[in-house]
Amino acid sequence: MQTILTDFYILNSSEKAENGSFVANISLNKDHEIFKGHFPGNPVTPGVCMMQIVKELTEEFTGKKLFLKSASNVKFMAIINPFETPDLMLQLDINEGEEEIKVKNTTSFGETIALKMSVNYKK
């Protein structure tokens, strides 16, 4: 899998559900350089990195190179601290059209929802 977030996370497993959605389990690299600056002594996973992970996983699952067209209903609901909760589950409901791919994402750790968003990617 090609990623611009070099060594930021590892895709541990993924599966396609009967309804066509995908579930991915990832682990964040708590020692990544990003966390040294965001924020020193209190690491928080940047929202833009979570959005990039959703894009990269969607590319992996669809086999298509994608470009962000729009994002809506982006809700960061909990802080993702890579030392406390490095293991995340991402559910991606992917709907592919001729020109674009629409994704509804829910990212969680344990019972806590950390991120919900809807994005449109151009193929």
Side-chain angles (χ1 to χ4, degrees):
M1 177 167 70
Q2 184 179 2
T3 175
I4 65 169
L5 296 172
T6 306
D7 298 325
F8 188 74
Y9 69 98
I10 296 169
L11 176 60
N12 296 318
S13 66
S14 63
E15 64 181 64
K16 187 174 184 178
E18 289 181 19
N19 65 0
S21 67
F22 290 85
V23 175
N25 292 290
I26 68 167
S27 294
L28 299 174
N29 175 5
K30 64 180 175 45
D31 297 319
H32 195 276
E33 290 293 315
I34 286 174
F35 295 118
K36 292 177 183 170
H38 197 270
F39 296 97
N42 187 26
V44 175
T45 305
V48 68
C49 292
M50 290 306 306
M51 293 179 74
Q52 180 66 25
I53 290 169
V54 170
K55 176 183 175 280
E56 290 176 2
L57 291 174
T58 303
E59 289 177 331
E60 176 77 9
F61 298 148
T62 62
K64 307 244 179 352
K65 180 71 178 157
L66 303 173
F67 301 91
L68 181 64
K69 181 177 177 184
S70 65
S72 60
N73 299 320
V74 180
K75 297 177 183 168
F76 296 99
M77 304 169 76
I79 291 173
I80 302 171
N81 180 320
F83 285 86
E84 295 174 3
T85 54
D87 300 320
L88 305 174
M89 183 187 75
L90 291 86
Q91 180 172 339
L92 305 168
D93 298 327
I94 301 172
N95 293 305
E96 190 168 349
E98 284 188 36
E99 300 287 321
E100 65 183 21
I101 293 177
K102 296 181 180 185
V103 179
K104 287 187 179 177
N105 165 254
T106 302
T107 299
S108 58
F109 53 86
E111 299 296 314
T112 303
I113 296 174
L115 168 64
K116 290 179 112 175
M117 71 175 180
S118 298
V119 288
N120 294 332
Y121 299 109
K122 183 178 174 184
K123 292 183 185 179

